[in-house]
Amino acid sequence: MAKESDLTKIILNYLTEKGHYAFKHWGGMMGTRGVSDIIGVKKPEGTAFFLEVKKPGLEAEDKQKNFLFDCAMAGAITGVIHTLEEVKKLGL
């Protein structure tokens, strides 16, 4: 089974190739729990997106789900991502 870090790199490369701005959010002691792994802006529309990357079969934690819900309610594109195909289905 591939590591989440490998999938994250694949997704970031894809998003960059599509012309979107995206970066990996690194959590830690000073970070906010639940913030998505990938944060970005869809070009040219300017729509924010937040992607929580998980290995196939794993689900997001409650804090992560709550963060994604809040972002979606604010108009962002959000998703719990297990494959690159899921990113494409979001229109990114």
Side-chain angles (χ1 to χ4, degrees), residues 3-91:
K3 296 188 290 186
E4 285 179 16
S5 60
D6 294 335
L7 179 57
T8 299
K9 288 176 191 174
I10 290 168
I11 293 168
L12 285 170
N13 286 336
Y14 168 79
L15 293 168
T16 300
E17 288 173 7
K18 296 296 275 185
H20 306 307
Y21 173 75
F23 65 93
K24 164 73 171 113
H25 170 262
W26 294 96
M29 291 177 51
M30 299 301 289
T32 302
R33 287 187 48 93
V35 174
S36 295
D37 295 313
I38 296 176
I39 298 172
V41 178
K42 182 179 179 181
K43 293 183 181 178
E45 297 90 352
T47 305
F49 59 84
F50 300 88
L51 308 175
E52 183 61 42
V53 180
K54 294 290 180 190
K55 287 188 206 178
L58 296 181
E59 292 301 319
E61 298 174 11
D62 287 342
K63 286 188 182 253
Q64 295 166 330
K65 290 177 185 176
N66 291 338
F67 177 81
L68 291 173
F69 176 80
D70 289 344
C71 292
M73 295 307 298
I77 298 168
T78 65
V80 178
I81 303 301
H82 304 90
T83 66
L84 179 57
E85 289 305 312
E86 291 175 334
V87 175
K88 293 175 181 180
K89 287 180 183 176
L90 290 175

